[in-house]
Amino acid sequence: MTAADASAVLDRAGLDRLVEVLIELGYRVIGPTVRDSAIVLAELGSGTELPAGWGVDTAPGMYRLRRRADDAVFGHSAGPQSWKQFLHPAHRRLWSAGADGVFVAESSDPPRYAFLGVRGCDLAAIKILSNVLGRGAHPDSSFTRTTEALFVVAVNCTEPGGLCFCASMGTGPAAGPGYDLALTERIDEGGHAFVVDAASDAGRGVLARLPHRAAEPAEVETARADVAAAAGRMGRSMPDIDMRELMLSSRESPHWENVASRCLTCANCTMVCPTCFCTSTEDVTDLTGDHAERWQRWASCFDVDFSYIHGGSVRTSAASRYRQWMSHKLGTWHDQFGSSGCVGCGRCIAWCPVGIDITEEAARLSANSTGGADDDSE
Ligand code: SF4
Ligand code: SF4
C-alpha cells in the first residue's frame, strides 16, 4: 500500500465539502435524500440534503421511513430507486424525423454524474449492467458514454436492512472494485466520521481537495470490522446451492402455479431491480404527421405483450412470466453474462405489493427439487 492509498478520515463537514467539490468540478451529484416518505436518489445541491438521521424499516411488501437515534447519513438500506435510472433511463428519445425524410439521432453530451452513496450491491449491479449494455458488437453508446464519465463514491454498508441478502450473493456489504472513493460511516464516542479509501487518480484528486486527516490504524480496523459484522446481520439469504442448476431442474415445478396464485404481474419487481434492463421501442407522430420520433422505454417480462410474436404472446400465464423472470435472473443470466443477475438488494421484495420474496421462492423450489416439505401439495 502506498501513502496515496492510505485511508483518510472526513468529518461531517468534510462530507458536505465533498458534495461542494464535486459540484465545483462540474459533476451533477446524485445521492440519497428524503422525498415523498421515502429515501430517493436525486440531484443534490448540498450535503444538507442528505438523509441525516433517517433510517428505514422494510419487510415483504413494506417500506417505512423512521427517525434514527443518531445523525447517520447512510444508516438506511436500499430505497425504491436504483442508479439504473440515471445510466439507463426509463424512457429516452432515440431519433426524430421530419416530413422531409431527414433523420436526427439523439447525440447530446452525456451528463457528468457523481454518484454519492453507492452500496456494494448497487456497485455490483452497475457492473452487471455494464456487462449487458456496454459490451458486445453493439454497445449502448448512451450508457457507455455516461458510465465513462462517472465518478463513484461508494459506501461500505454497516447497517443492512431486513430484506438485504448481498452477503449471500457475494456483492456486499463491502463495496467491490469500481469506485473512486469509498466511505465507511462511523458514529461513536469519538464523534461522527467517515473513513475514506481512494481507489483511482480521480478519487485521490478529489480527496486532496477535502479537509481530512490520516486514519489511525485502529480506526481502519474498527471500520473494517463493522462492515464484516454487517455480513452476519442480513435479514435474508439466498439458499447456498447452485441456483443455475436449480432453475434448470425446476422448469416443470408445480411451485410456479403457487407463485402465480399470488403474483399480480404488476412488473414492480422488474422496475425496481437495479439489473433488469429490458426495453421496447415505440414510434410516435404528431397530429400533422410531419414529425416522427422513436422512443426507448423500460419493458418488463411480466407484461403479456413482452413475448408477443406475430399472432400472439408466448407467455400468457402468470406462472410462465414469473418463471421467466426468476429463471433468467438466477439461472440463464450466468450463461448469457457470466454472473447472476441478482445482487441481493431486496428491492423486489419490499416493492412487491403482495410481498413475494425471491429468496423464499428459491428455498421452496429447492425443497421441491429435493423432495422436502413444501406448500405446493396442499
Ligand atoms: S432480483 Fe430483487 S434482490 Fe435481486 S437485484 Fe433484482 S431487485 Fe435486487
Ligand atoms: S412478483 Fe410481485 S412485484 Fe413482481 S410482478 Fe408479481 S406481484 Fe408484481
Side-chain angles (χ1 to χ4, degrees), residues 46-69:
S46 79
T48 60
E49 296 169 38
L50 290 163
W54 287 103
V56 297
D57 291 323
T58 54
M62 195 277 280
Y63 175 98
R64 295 278 184 282
L65 272 187
R66 67 171 157 77
R67 269 287 178 196
R68 294 177 54 90

Side-chain angles (χ1 to χ4, degrees), residues 116-136:
L116 173 60
V118 183
R119 310 301 173 119
C121 59
D122 281 342
L123 194 56
I126 292 172
K127 189 175 170 202
I128 288 172
L129 277 185
S130 297
N131 272 343
V132 173
L133 300 173
R135 300 254 169 93

Side-chain angles (χ1 to χ4, degrees), residues 124-125 138 208 230 375:
H138 303 288
D375 62 355

Side-chain angles (χ1 to χ4, degrees), residues 308-327:
Y308 184 91
I309 302 173
H310 58 83
S313 291
V314 174
R315 298 184 207 105
T316 54
S317 68
S320 64
R321 277 176 262 158
Y322 188 87
R323 180 179 67 181
Q324 158 64 27
W325 177 69
M326 188 169 172
S327 299

Side-chain angles (χ1 to χ4, degrees), residues 262-270 302 322 348 351-354 356:
R262 292 169 279 142
C263 176
L264 308 174
T265 66
C266 68
N268 265 18
C269 47
T270 53
F302 281 93
Y322 188 87
C348 59
W351 296 95
C352 173
V354 294
I356 292 174

